[in-house]
Amino acid sequence: MGIFERYLSVWVGLAIVAGIAAGLITPDVFQIVANAEVANVNLPIAVLIWLMIYPMMMQVDFASIKDVTKQPQGLALTLIINWLIKPFTMAALGWLFFHHIFADLVSPATAQEYIAGMILLGVAPCTAMVFVWSHLTRGDANYTLLQVSVNDVIMIFAFAPIAGFLLGVSDIEVPWETLLISVALYVVLPLVAGVLTRKILGAEGVGRLSETLKPLSILGLLATVLILFGLQAPRIVENPLDMLLIAIPLLIQTYGIFAITYFIAIRIKLKHNVAAPACMIGTSNFFELAVAVAISLFGLHSGAALATVVGVLVEVPVMLSLVAFANRTKHWFEPS
């Protein structure tokens, strides 16, 4: 991992502080950014999100899907966790904490927004950072690519229906047109652009271009965080406890999903180099997509957008701790 990835939570924390300070000092500047919208899509944020997503999508090789029948248990585990368990446990934790445990600490309207942000995180399986986690656990790189590619194909068709269902069950109004536009803008089009780029440049060319774009991708993330917290600054200053309230169920979800996936992987006797990446994919989130969709559906000022950004803050240190755990317990899968 480079310095940007290893200390991503530090940079995000600094961007949060800078955003809150700037939002309090120059609120008019952030309002200009917030008003730059077309069809509920904020144009500056859309550009920044594409800077994050496009380099990730270039790494996805759909040609690997032809190997789907090889070691099907690992792929099946990833798909079951990502699409049949994780979104629903995230929604359940959101309801439990913000409708019951934290009910006296936040207003009902704010609670609904935080739940919405958590749901969007839960429905978006990781696409890019999982390659880093796989590498750090000495995972099978080709098999990780297969798992990510299949999940991305499913995400095209499953993200909007599952997100819409869980938001609706949570009594959150779902603007379906905006949701479908978001999926097209932040999933389908980047995937198509990534496939075309890979076809034109080849794997080696894509690798070089990804390295060139990596700093821009990180800067896009940090700029998005700065803008979001700049817009949320008055709200955060008034309710600083809210970020901690959001982080608690997110941490429980992350460690809980990893524990479930890891236990199943041991029981079905997966190889460690397949099991570890499968668990990382099932545990981590495609937070760039969640942030983009939260902004499109609920606005830059919304609690949903704030919740997705808190997800960015907690993800890297938590995933690094899980990488360390997976490496220390490799002997659970293979005899010494």
Side-chain angles (χ1 to χ4, degrees):
M1 295 178 72
I3 190 171
F4 278 117
E5 293 93 341
R6 184 177 296 275
Y7 298 104
L8 181 58
S9 288
V10 175
W11 312 135
V12 170
L14 292 174
I16 288 173
V17 173
I20 293 173
L24 295 174
I25 297 170
T26 58
D28 293 343
V29 173
F30 289 92
Q31 195 55 50
I32 292 172
V33 174
N35 292 337
E37 285 189 353
V38 174
N40 290 330
V41 174
N42 184 271
L43 298 181
I45 294 294
V47 171
L48 294 173
I49 295 291
W50 259 75
L51 279 177
M52 291 184 265
I53 293 178
Y54 171 61
M56 303 172 189
M57 296 306 190
M58 288 191 300
Q59 299 179 55
V60 177
D61 183 7
F62 291 109
S64 66
I65 294 178
K66 68 180 185 296
D67 299 323
V68 71
T69 57
K70 297 179 180 178
Q71 303 184 72
Q73 287 179 308
L75 180 60
L77 176 60
T78 301
L79 298 181
I80 289 170
I81 293 295
N82 274 328
W83 300 108
L84 299 180
I85 296 178
K86 181 180 173 182
F88 302 94
T89 56
M90 183 73 95
L93 284 171
W95 300 331
L96 173 64
F97 276 88
F98 287 106
H99 282 325
H100 298 284
I101 298 174
F102 297 154
D104 295 333
L105 300 176
V106 296
S107 69
T110 300
Q112 289 291 80
E113 291 184 353
Y114 292 163
I115 292 170
M118 291 179 61
I119 288 172
L120 293 175
L121 280 170
V123 185
C126 188
T127 291
M129 288 296 287
V130 72
F131 290 113
V132 176
W133 314 137
S134 177
H135 175 71
L136 292 176
T137 55
R138 297 178 179 84
D140 184 325
N142 292 328
Y143 199 77
T144 301
L145 182 59
L146 167 65
Q147 292 173 311
V148 171
S149 300
V150 173
N151 270 295
D152 281 354
V153 170
I154 293 174
M155 183 159 53
I156 294 173
F157 304 100
F159 180 89
I162 295 177
F165 170 74
L166 290 175
L167 291 171
V169 169
S170 303
D171 294 325
I172 299 168
E173 184 178 350
V174 183
W176 277 100
E177 182 180 353
T178 305
L179 179 57
L180 294 174
I181 290 173
S182 297
V183 172
L185 183 61
Y186 299 118
V187 179
V188 179
L189 291 180
L191 271 174
V192 171
V195 169
L196 293 176
T197 303
R198 195 175 188 88
K199 186 173 183 179
I200 294 169
L201 298 182
E204 291 186 4
V206 164
R208 290 192 295 270
L209 181 58
S210 295
E211 286 300 314
T212 301
L213 293 178
K214 185 184 291 185
L216 291 177
S217 180
I218 298 295
L219 288 174
L221 171 62
L222 297 180
T224 302
V225 171
L226 190 148
I227 291 172
L228 284 172
F229 278 85
L231 288 165
Q232 299 268 3
R235 180 179 187 171
I236 292 170
V237 170
E238 292 174 7
N239 303 287
L241 181 64
D242 282 20
M243 289 180 61
L244 176 62
L245 299 183
I246 295 168
I248 290 172
L250 291 181
L251 289 170
I252 293 172
Q253 162 81 358
T254 304
Y255 284 116
I257 287 294
F258 180 85
I260 293 169
T261 313
Y262 214 60
F263 174 78
I264 296 173
I266 294 171
R267 295 289 294 178
I268 63 177
K269 301 184 186 308
L270 287 182
K271 293 181 179 179
H272 185 266
N273 67 349
V274 170
C279 294
M280 299 301 166
I281 295 171
T283 303
S284 53
N285 303 306
F286 190 179
F287 51 75
E288 295 88 350
L289 174 62
V291 169
V293 177
I295 292 169
S296 297
L297 292 181
F298 304 105
L300 279 162
H301 295 88
S302 68
L306 178 62
T308 57
V309 176
V310 174
V312 182
L313 185 63
V314 303
E315 170 129 342
V316 174
V318 169
M319 292 306 298
L320 285 173
S321 72
L322 294 176
V323 164
F325 177 83
N327 286 335
R328 285 197 301 269
T329 57
K330 184 176 181 180
H331 62 280
W332 292 1
F333 295 83
E334 301 165 5
S336 301

